[in-house]
Every structure is written in structure tokens, then in C-alpha cells.
Amino acid sequence: YDELKSWFETVSGGQKLEDFRNMVDARRIAQQEGIDEKTALARVKIDRERRALEAEKSRAQNERQRNVDANAENERRRADVAAFVKAFPDVAAKSQTDKNAIPAEVWDKVNKGETLVNAYTAYKAKQDSEAKDKRIAELEAALEAEKQTKKNAARSTGSQKSAGGDPPYDPIAAGWDSV
């Protein structure tokens, strides 16, 4: 780079690169349009300044638009949080001390553009549905066990002992056990 810079200063007579470009462009325009070189140089400089100003104006407009968009996004987030606090005050209060009060899957949906209230409502509905499904499965298992117990009791022949108390006295059986 230093060699190139040195070479350029030597070739252009110590001019800056921008001045050299302006001079070359001015000579080309003067020859093409048949005008004075000073007039062409002034036109080239004005043209470059105009383009630089337009680029700066465009950058400033883009920056203003980014600021407007960021402000609108911040306002949307504030409104979303306010709606969440109103809809779920207990969870909002818990989230002040417990960062896991609002699960990651809710934040994933929020990051994809869904509102916090809608994402948390869907999460709670899913949790409630899963809890109900689990409870139903437990109750169905208990009912099935009860049905099986009743079915087994109905098929049973009953107790192997008689319902009448002590058996009658049998002298042979009594003597048999005494020897």
C-alpha cells in the first residue's frame, strides 16, 4: 500500500487521490462536451458533493426510520407487558423474583411475533389439557382396576371355611391326632 501510495504521489505530482480523480473526470467531461476544464472540474466537484450529501441524507433517513421502528417496537412491548400484568398478575409478580415463572417456550413464541398474553394463554391451556388428560388416565386406570376386582369377586367360589362356626366333633379325627 505504501509503495502504491508513493507511486501515485509521484505520478500525480503529489495530489490527493480524490483531487486526481476529479481532474481526470473533469478532463474527460471537457473533451466529451467541449467545455472548459475549470467548468468541468467545478461540475465534477459539485456532482461528488451532491452524491455525498444524498448518501448522508439517505443514511440519516435510514437512521431516523430505525429509531422510529425501535420506538414503535418498544412501545408495543410495553403495551404487551402491561396487558400481561393485567391478565396474569400473579405470574407477573412471580416473574420479578423467578426468571423461570414464564417458560422458555412462551418466550420463543413471543420472539416469533406472538403477544405475551396469547403465548402464555396457549401455554396454560396446553398445561391444563395435559393435566386433565393425566387425571383422566388415572381415573380410567382406577375404574378398570375396580371393574377387575368386582369381576374377580363374582367368579370366586367364596371362602374355603364354612360360615357355620366350629365343625362338629369327630372322635376319630380327635383320636387320630392324639397319637
Side-chain angles (χ1 to χ4, degrees):
Y1 177 76
D2 289 336
E3 287 179 31
L4 182 62
K5 186 177 177 183
S6 174
W7 173 82
F8 178 76
E9 287 178 3
T10 303
V11 170
S12 65
Q15 289 182 333
K16 293 182 182 177
L17 178 60
E18 184 178 321
D19 292 340
F20 181 73
R21 283 182 60 201
N22 289 344
M23 184 185 70
V24 170
D25 287 345
R27 283 186 183 161
R28 181 178 43 81
I29 290 172
Q31 287 177 354
Q32 286 175 347
E33 297 181 11
I35 59 174
D36 182 37
E37 243 184 74
K38 286 185 180 183
T39 305
L41 182 61
R43 201 163 103 191
V44 166
K45 286 182 179 180
I46 289 171
D47 233 16
R48 289 200 197 282
E49 287 176 12
R50 181 183 49 77
R51 278 187 258 139
L53 286 173
E54 286 174 356
E56 182 59 33
K57 181 181 174 183
S58 176
R59 279 192 294 275
Q61 283 178 334
N62 290 341
E63 183 65 27
R64 276 193 303 275
Q65 188 60 43
R66 280 192 296 273
N67 288 339
V68 166
D69 292 346
N71 288 339
E73 179 64 18
N74 287 338
E75 188 57 37
R76 185 195 65 77
R77 286 182 182 171
R78 275 189 225 111
D80 194 20
V81 169
F84 181 79
V85 169
K86 187 176 181 180
F88 301 102
D90 53 330
V91 177
K94 186 177 177 184
S95 70
Q96 297 295 322
T97 56
D98 180 11
K99 68 179 184 176
N100 295 325
I102 301 172
E105 77 179 68
V106 172
W107 290 120
D108 290 342
K109 288 182 179 182
V110 169
N111 290 336
K112 291 178 183 173
E114 197 169 327
T115 66
L116 184 55
V117 172
N118 289 348
Y120 192 78
T121 301
Y123 167 78
K124 285 301 286 178
K126 181 181 173 189
Q127 293 297 100
D128 291 346
S129 175
E130 288 174 357
K132 286 178 184 176
D133 289 347
K134 183 178 177 184
R135 181 68 179 147
I136 287 170
E138 289 171 358
L139 291 174
E140 285 176 344
L143 180 61
E144 193 60 38
E146 181 67 26
K147 283 180 182 178
Q148 189 63 40
T149 301
K150 286 183 180 181
K151 185 177 176 183
N152 290 344
R155 287 186 5 204
S156 174
T157 58
S159 173
Q160 295 298 318
K161 294 186 176 186
S162 98
D166 290 333
Y169 179 71
D170 183 4
I172 295 176
W176 190 269
D177 289 332
S178 64
V179 182

